[in-house]
Amino acid sequence: MMAEEFVLASEKYGSGSLERKYTFSTEKGNIERIGRKRETIAERVKQFFKSAFLPQGYPESVSKDYLRYQVWDTVQAFCSSITGTLATQAMLKGYGVGDDKATSLAATMTWILRSGTGMVGSILFAWIQGSNLDCNAKKWRLFADVLNDASILLEMLAPLFKAYFTFVACLSSVSKAIVGVAGGATRAAMTQHQARRDNMADVAAKDGSQETLVNLLALVGGLVITPMVSGNAGLTWTLFFIFTFLHLYANFRAVSSVVMETVNIPRLHILVTEFLTSGFIMTPQEVGSREPIIFGMSTGECLRISLGTEFMSVVNSVSELDAALPNSKQSRYIMKLKLSKGRNSGSIYVVLHEDSNSFDHLQSCFQACVLDYVIRTRPSTRKVLIDSDGSQRALEALHNFWWHEKSQPIDCSWDLIALAHNFTLQAFPAFIKGLEEAGWTTSRTHLGPDEWRTVWNCQGLEIKKSI
């Protein structure tokens, strides 16, 4: 019998270049491993850094935007650490280090006041804005870094105003406390987005390792820079503004590179506008490039959406409840449009039923975005689409009604909502299907509804009609 050798198994470690094969020889009767027995020093170093600073299974275990975001996040962290070093030197001078007239008691009192105001500030900010951090993670992430630079600037200026040093130091502490809350919360949201194998803890741990390494390098840089700038105010401020600019630019690039697959209000406005204009559903990447990430910038909407509001903000009489439920008494949401005097802006209040879910939340906000689109655009801006389900005719009726009735003194909002609801019932199934095909996550949203839930009794409507 002739000796025979064949490959019994092969394996590889993740998506890397490390591959092994196992052969079996009938002559020797044992299994042998084929492959490099010894890796070069460069390969070992590369493998160490990959294992120590990147999540296991990278790049398959994280989102596609992970590396791009982390590169810019590393740059901004380094710049922030350098400017923090410059600010620390200024604050120590303000506390009285090197001043014979300064007392330890005064420095201790200032430190306590500064820390205390920061703690109060973090509690108040988390109370006021905690629920909004998930919905607008990209905006709050950039806001936190801008505010961080502002707090460092205050620390740099504090020693120049000795009479108000404690006040400026406390104001800086409050700013940094807000940065800590907003930055930490949005970092968790980013981590949740990046983790694709239920490996959020691993992604967070490796992100912490990356930041620690960057801070260590910045610490070494600080040891070099601090003696150079000591006593040289011009050089200190020059380096501060250079690194602050780099910090802000790197943060803008980092946040811009993030592509969220969950829908929030600004993204939904972009999606609905494109859908109603051309019938096309944009991908998360396309929406991400158009999504505003700076507070004050918007997608052009004229109506503010209040989701999950109180019952009395929409219904104040039985007749209004009847008007708010034009088609189906089993609807899981009701809404009211309140326009301003110019009738080109206003708010949409949405009351959610106790049994409503994320699908109902998304549908109600879709209807609200349709209303917003109709009010701010003329019918001529829309392309003529193939009308297979009647939704095009419903949209035309909605558009024509508003642009005909808006000049009248009567309030046509209930009729407008009824027409928008008719259109939503026809168009929303195609919209939600398009979202899923384009790569959006529809099982959960970041629409940010308030916690009010209502159960309405339609029996009163029937009693009223029978009288």
Side-chain angles (χ1 to χ4, degrees), residues 117-123 125 172-182:
T117 52
M119 294 175 186
V120 173
S122 65
I123 294 172
F125 178 77
S172 171
S173 180
V174 171
S175 300
K176 283 204 168 183
I178 295 174
V179 170
V181 175

Side-chain angles (χ1 to χ4, degrees), residues 93-281:
K93 183 178 179 181
Y95 280 124
V97 175
D99 188 355
D100 295 335
K101 297 180 180 180
T103 64
S104 59
L105 177 61
T108 301
M109 294 300 293
T110 302
W111 182 271
I112 292 174
L113 288 172
R114 182 172 181 268
S115 300
T117 52
M119 294 175 186
V120 173
S122 65
I123 294 172
L124 292 176
F125 178 77
W127 168 53
I128 297 172
Q129 294 292 344
S131 60
N132 293 326
L133 299 177
D134 278 309
C135 301
N136 295 292
K138 294 170 69 173
K139 283 186 177 181
W140 282 112
R141 180 66 183 171
L142 186 60
F143 170 84
D145 288 300
V146 172
L147 188 60
N148 179 65
D149 288 335
S151 66
I152 292 176
L153 177 60
L154 287 174
E155 291 179 346
M156 296 282 290
L157 292 172
L160 303 179
F161 303 92
K162 292 185 178 180
Y164 303 99
F165 175 79
T166 301
F167 173 77
V168 176
C170 290
L171 185 61
S172 171
S173 180
V174 171
S175 300
K176 283 204 168 183
I178 295 174
V179 170
V181 175
T186 53
R187 181 179 292 275
M190 296 292 183
T191 303
Q192 184 181 35
H193 157 71
Q194 292 170 339
R196 294 305 163 95
R197 287 186 181 175
D198 293 327
N199 57 338
M200 184 174 173
D202 183 31
V203 174
K206 297 304 171 56
D207 182 66
S209 296
Q210 294 170 21
E211 187 167 355
T212 301
L213 177 62
V214 171
N215 289 335
L216 181 61
L217 295 175
L219 186 64
V220 175
L223 291 175
V224 176
I225 292 175
T226 301
M228 294 172 54
V229 301
S230 182
N232 191 334
L235 182 58
T236 299
W237 284 103
T238 300
L239 290 177
F240 170 76
F241 285 117
I242 290 174
F243 281 105
T244 298
F245 172 79
L246 291 175
H247 177 249
L248 293 175
Y249 176 75
N251 268 294
F252 179 81
R253 293 295 301 271
V255 174
S256 299
S257 68
V258 176
V259 178
M260 294 287 194
E261 293 90 2
T262 51
V263 177
N264 64 1
I265 295 296
R267 292 177 209 130
L268 186 61
H269 271 293
I270 296 172
L271 285 165
V272 173
T273 299
E274 185 65 30
F275 176 70
L276 298 179
T277 303
S278 65
F280 177 69
I281 300 292

Side-chain angles (χ1 to χ4, degrees), residues 7 49 75 114 122 239 248 278 340 354 369 396 421 456:
V7 177
F49 276 96
V75 174
R114 182 172 181 268
S122 65
L239 290 177
L248 293 175
S278 65
S340 62
E354 185 180 57
C369 289
E396 288 177 357
H421 190 70
W456 44 84

